Amino acid sequence: MNNHLIAPSILAADFANLQRDIELINSSEADWIHVDIMDGVFVPNISFGFPVMKAVKKHAKKPLDVHLMIVEPDRYLKEFADAGASGITVHYEVCPNLHRTVQYIKELGCRASVALNPHTPVALLEDIIADLDQVLIMSVNPGFGGQKFIEHTYKKLKDIKELSNKHNPKLFIEVDGGVDEYNIIKLVEAGANVLVAGNSVFSAADPSAAIAYLKNPGKPKL
Ligand code: DX5
Ligand code: ZN
């Protein structure tokens, strides 16, 4: 079981040692670097903005998977693409013209991804799923790292996997929040193929080993 991708979230990194932590991800088995942008309006927390993201880009050797937890994301999409995003995720809950937003992300040359909060039904994506490169299923309420995983996520992953089989088999199905060594196998079995992990990586005694385990779950730990 290692066809899935691992995207460590730098929200849980040590911001005073960001270069060190990016280099740690560079030399690990991680596939992408997950970048959480929070505006203090859509979510009750502020993370960081363009200057920090550009600093991350300078050192990153893996694609930046940018998760926008902001209202009116359309205003900033170009700037995030210019700052080096390889994929951009917007939240369904803040995009009244989602089809237009998705086309714009693609025009900018980025992977177009839509996130669903825990309360937002998967079925709402039925008429747009064929246009998407990725769906992000939130398994915690967005805004903070280190929260408890919401069990209902498994059901949502199965539902989105079914929709994806029907309309868009190449879809990346990403799960974000509370992913760890204990639930990763069940999440992959439910249909997730991109796993974001913040605290389970950066709070580990050996973050590279934690990433290696998430990439190859079930194998004996290093
Ligand atoms: C939460 C963020 C997540 C967060 C995950 O709003 O979108 O990406 O960094 O952190 P953990 O893995 O600690 O739940
Ligand atoms: Zn995220």
Side-chain angles (χ1 to χ4, degrees), residues 8-221:
S9 166
I10 52 159
L11 187 65
D14 178 353
F15 287 171
N17 286 289
L18 208 41
Q19 181 177 349
R20 181 200 67 192
D21 284 355
I22 300 294
E23 282 166 0
L24 184 150
I25 298 176
N26 286 342
S27 57
S28 76
E29 287 188 53
D31 298 280
W32 298 346
I33 299 176
H34 188 77
V35 178
D36 286 305
I37 307 288
M38 304 176 181
D39 67 353
V41 179
F42 176 58
V43 291
N45 194 12
I46 296 174
S47 56
F48 50 79
F50 296 112
V52 172
M53 175 160 159
K54 285 177 186 159
V56 169
K57 178 67 187 168
K58 214 162 82 186
H59 299 287
K61 296 206 174 89
K62 311 217 171 179
L64 299 188
D65 176 46
V66 177
H67 178 190
L68 299 182
M69 286 161 274
I70 65 175
V71 297
E72 298 185 43
D74 307 65
R75 291 171 58 189
Y76 300 103
L77 293 175
K78 183 162 183 341
E79 207 164 341
F80 279 109
D82 290 345
S86 117
I88 299 181
T89 299
V90 293
H91 266 261
Y92 178 91
E93 298 81 10
V94 293
C95 292
N97 301 294
L98 186 59
H99 184 271
R100 179 185 294 146
T101 303
V102 164
Q103 301 310 326
Y104 187 34
I105 295 174
K106 288 181 165 179
E107 274 166 35
L108 292 168
C110 297
R111 198 164 17 82
S113 166
V114 173
L116 300 182
N117 269 351
H119 72 279
T120 306
V122 159
L124 290 170
L125 294 179
E126 185 160 3
D127 291 316
I128 187 104
I129 196 164
D131 296 295
L132 301 180
D133 298 306
Q134 177 177 305
V135 168
L136 185 161
I137 302 292
M138 286 304 307
S139 39
V140 298
N141 286 293
F144 303 93
Q147 299 181 83
K148 191 175 174 303
F149 177 83
I150 297 172
E151 296 287 321
H152 183 64
T153 307
Y154 296 115
K155 156 95 173 58
K156 292 183 78 173
L157 287 172
K158 285 179 187 149
D159 289 349
I160 196 77
K161 179 70 183 161
E162 214 171 284
L163 269 189
S164 143
N165 285 342
K166 212 157 132 194
H167 303 288
N168 185 351
K170 285 196 190 141
L171 189 74
F172 286 112
I173 300 176
E174 183 169 43
V175 62
D176 185 6
V179 173
D180 62 23
E181 59 181 305
Y182 304 106
N183 57 21
I184 184 144
I185 292 181
K186 203 169 161 191
L187 288 168
V188 172
E189 283 173 353
N193 52 23
V194 184
L195 294 291
V196 175
N199 276 268
S200 66
V201 165
F202 287 102
S203 300
D206 181 346
S208 298
I211 293 169
Y213 185 80
L214 292 173
K215 186 72 184 171
N216 307 282
K219 286 204 179 157
K221 284 190 198 166

